[in-house]
Amino acid sequence: MVTTLVTPSRARTIVRLLRVTDKRFLIGSAIVLVMAIASFVIPAISPYGPNEIIPQDALSGPTFQHLLGSDDLGRDVLVRVMAGSRISLGVAIGSGFIAVLLGVPLGLIAGFSSGVVDNLIMRPLDVLMAFPAILLAVVIVAFAGTGTTVLIIAIGVVYTPVIARVMRATTMASRTQTYVDVARARGASTLRILVRHVLPNSIGPVVVQASLLMGFAILLEAAFSFIGLGVRPPNPSLGSMLASERDFLAEAPWVVIAPGVAVMVLVLGFNFIGDGLRDALDPLGRARTR
Amino acid sequence: MTPLLEIRSLSVDYGYGAVIRDLSITVSAGEIVGLVGESGCGKTTLGWSVLGLLPRSARVDGSILFDGTELIGLQARKRRKLLGVRLSLIPQAAMASLDPMFTVGHQIREIILTHQRGGRAGADARTVGRLREVGVAAPEARLRAFPHELSGGTRQRVATAAAMILNPSMLIADEPTSSLDVTIQAQVLGVLRSVILEHGTAVMFITHDLGVVAQISDRIAVMYAGEIVEEASAQELFEDPKHPYTKKLLAAHPGFSNKGQRLATIPGSVPDPAQRPGGCSFEPRCPVAIPLCQEDRPPWVAVESDRHVRCVHCAPNH
């Protein structure tokens, strides 16, 4: 029977999400979790504030006083990296949340209704998608001003079409399933069918896509802060640290290496989560190339 | 007896010719009517037009009265109140008909709570009762099972329980046993029959399997190319088929009269709705066709009081 070949593996997406034992997923989750905890704990227990200037310690290498050294103004690099990571994580999760919040209903409605409604929703999103992410975000920031909140919204909006497209595709696949017709034959309303049957059966790939996008969001936030459109100095952000300290690369490489490594680790963590989820949810158990 | 379901001159067209043409049939309360025919003769379309599940592109003409309510063009809101409650469906493929994301208990509870107020515990108790009735072993444990954890037979039983949960007065059973192997088929059919009889549910039983309709139906309608060509009580139909298509169909069924012989076949296939013959739909394949068959659609002849055949050979003036 064909149905038994396909359906059980696709079947318990939510249950599978909770029980994913994929190694990369576990490692990725561990990385993100450790970074998240550290970004709160380390600034709290450290004797230095993230913006605290200690001139006599300027550009000191890694010592017991400053585990990752200090920058040109004598600010502790470890504390600043951790405070910056906290902002990066906030931007990643916040923008991912916004992209899902906007993209999922749009994709669900577009994929379920098709025809005119589908075009009304998807064509503007296609236009949005035609612009490079960073350019679009720059435009939004240019209109709304800089700042973390604006950045979260800008990145969230930029990634909305990506989520909406994935959601639309999976919705189109599940709306033709027999259980949708059967639910209708049992008197379920369209809204009920959408929320209770189509959404749960279609959300899996969106979760994967969202976790991958969160990794990109970290990069985007770093890029924006680097060019001065994100978190404004003196507040620490991984991007702004890279920008302001790059002049000291030769004498004190640690001031640049530390935030750079932090960006890398965070992106790696989110990508591992995304890749791991994707493989774990793949019905055929093989890695798909994106 | 006033019919519970009365379909009068129903035609359904998906845009490339009539899939169902001027079809009339009635089902009385508590009656089991078998609807037999080859693939592509419009059986499922008929069932779906009763449930109002046809795609919007389908053009539907005629009348479908269910307990006095006209179903064609019925408001969606009113239809939803009917479906699942008084008119329900046992679907074709039980696996595909169950949502893979949710447990059996959740899905049946959903049906109850869509239509009626009440708590989860009460709904689950009813579900367990109904599952036991259709012969699901350990029904309490099955509430927490996902569809893919069940065997094919159990899935079909669950689908039956889901259809019957609100005691509908009528069921559309669309090939409910066709995806099961023969031994399981017989079990599920037995259970279905006893549940239906116990609750006095009227059933339109759609199948291509003559053996199955023989077991379960009171009355049988033979469909060909979107029309009913013969309608008779189950016994009469098997003992004395009138329409040449019915005769051929019975001859092609293994085990009725032809042990040890090569199975008879009906040459050709069901006509495409777009290229339907002008006269009798069966004329191109009919062994006893006469020139008249090409010209006029055969009349709906009442052979006996409750027996009809659509064939010129049965017409009194022939």
Side-chain angles (χ1 to χ4, degrees), chain A residues 11 179 186 192 196-197 201, chain B residues 89 96 99 101-102 110 115:
Chain A
Y179 52 77
R186 304 261 158 81
R192 195 178 190 93
R196 293 300 181 92
H197 295 286
N201 277 289
Chain B
L89 166 76
D99 189 328
M101 294 292 293
F102 299 104
E110 273 283 290
H115 296 289

Side-chain angles (χ1 to χ4, degrees), chain A residues 51-273:
Chain A
N51 295 332
E52 188 180 339
I53 297 169
I54 305 164
Q56 63 271 30
D57 286 351
L59 291 180
S60 86
T63 61
F64 281 110
Q65 280 76 42
H66 301 284
L67 289 177
L68 291 178
S70 59
D71 67 6
D72 60 322
L73 298 174
R75 294 174 296 193
D76 187 74
V77 172
L78 178 63
V79 172
R80 285 179 69 76
V81 163
M82 283 306 153
S85 299
R86 192 163 65 202
I87 289 172
S88 293
L89 281 167
V91 169
I93 291 163
S95 60
F97 186 72
I98 287 175
V100 167
L101 207 66
L102 296 176
V104 164
L106 287 172
L108 192 63
I109 293 166
F112 194 77
S113 43
S114 71
V116 180
V117 179
D118 183 22
N119 280 322
L120 278 177
I121 294 174
M122 292 314 291
R123 296 302 76 83
L125 290 182
D126 285 346
V127 171
L128 215 57
M129 218 170 162
F131 293 103
I134 201 148
L135 182 68
L136 198 59
V138 166
V139 171
I140 296 175
V141 170
F143 274 107
T146 55
T148 319
T149 316
V150 173
L151 202 58
I152 289 175
I153 295 168
I155 296 175
V157 168
V158 164
Y159 287 144
T160 296
V162 182
I163 297 289
R165 296 196 120 211
V166 174
M167 191 65 209
R168 172 173 173 269
T170 54
T171 299
M172 288 171 91
S174 38
R175 71 159 184 185
T176 56
Q177 297 290 320
T178 313
Y179 52 77
V180 171
D181 290 325
V182 170
R184 212 182 276 290
R186 304 261 158 81
S189 62
T190 303
L191 184 68
R192 195 178 190 93
I193 287 172
L194 269 180
V195 175
R196 293 300 181 92
H197 295 286
V198 177
L199 180 66
N201 277 289
S202 317
I203 198 78
V206 171
V207 174
V208 173
Q209 192 64 43
S211 46
L212 291 172
L213 286 182
M214 286 185 196
F216 290 122
I218 285 176
L219 278 178
L220 214 51
E221 184 275 326
F224 268 80
S225 298
F226 187 90
I227 57 176
L229 291 175
V231 179
R232 302 302 293 272
N235 286 327
S237 145
L238 300 176
S240 65
M241 287 174 74
L242 285 168
S244 59
E245 308 302 326
R246 67 185 189 278
D247 300 338
F248 306 101
L249 190 58
E251 315 133 64
W254 56 87
V255 294
V256 179
I257 289 173
V261 168
V263 169
M264 199 193 80
V265 167
L266 284 173
V267 173
L268 197 69
F270 278 109
N271 279 334
F272 273 0
I273 292 178

Side-chain angles (χ1 to χ4, degrees), chain B residues 246-265:
Chain B
T246 315
K247 288 178 187 167
K248 283 284 192 181
L249 207 59
L250 288 174
H253 193 276
F256 276 113
S257 59
N258 45 8
K259 270 221 159 71
Q261 298 166 26
R262 228 168 222 286
L263 273 180
T265 55

Side-chain angles (χ1 to χ4, degrees), chain A residues 1 3-4 7-8 10-15 177-179 181-182 184-190 192 196-197 200-201, chain B residues 48 53 80 83-84 88-89 91 95-102 110-111 114-115 146 148-149 155 159 162-163 179:
Chain A
M1 291 206 301
T3 44
T4 46
T7 334
R10 253 179 48 102
R12 295 194 289 170
T13 317
I14 282 181
V15 178
Q177 297 290 320
T178 313
Y179 52 77
D181 290 325
V182 170
R184 212 182 276 290
R186 304 261 158 81
S189 62
T190 303
R192 195 178 190 93
R196 293 300 181 92
H197 295 286
N201 277 289
Chain B
W48 282 39
L53 293 179
R80 284 205 299 273
L83 292 178
S88 198
L89 166 76
M95 182 67 218
S97 77
L98 297 168
D99 189 328
M101 294 292 293
F102 299 104
E110 273 283 290
I111 304 170
T114 303
H115 296 289
F146 285 90
H148 74 271
E149 295 169 336
R155 269 178 220 147
S179 60

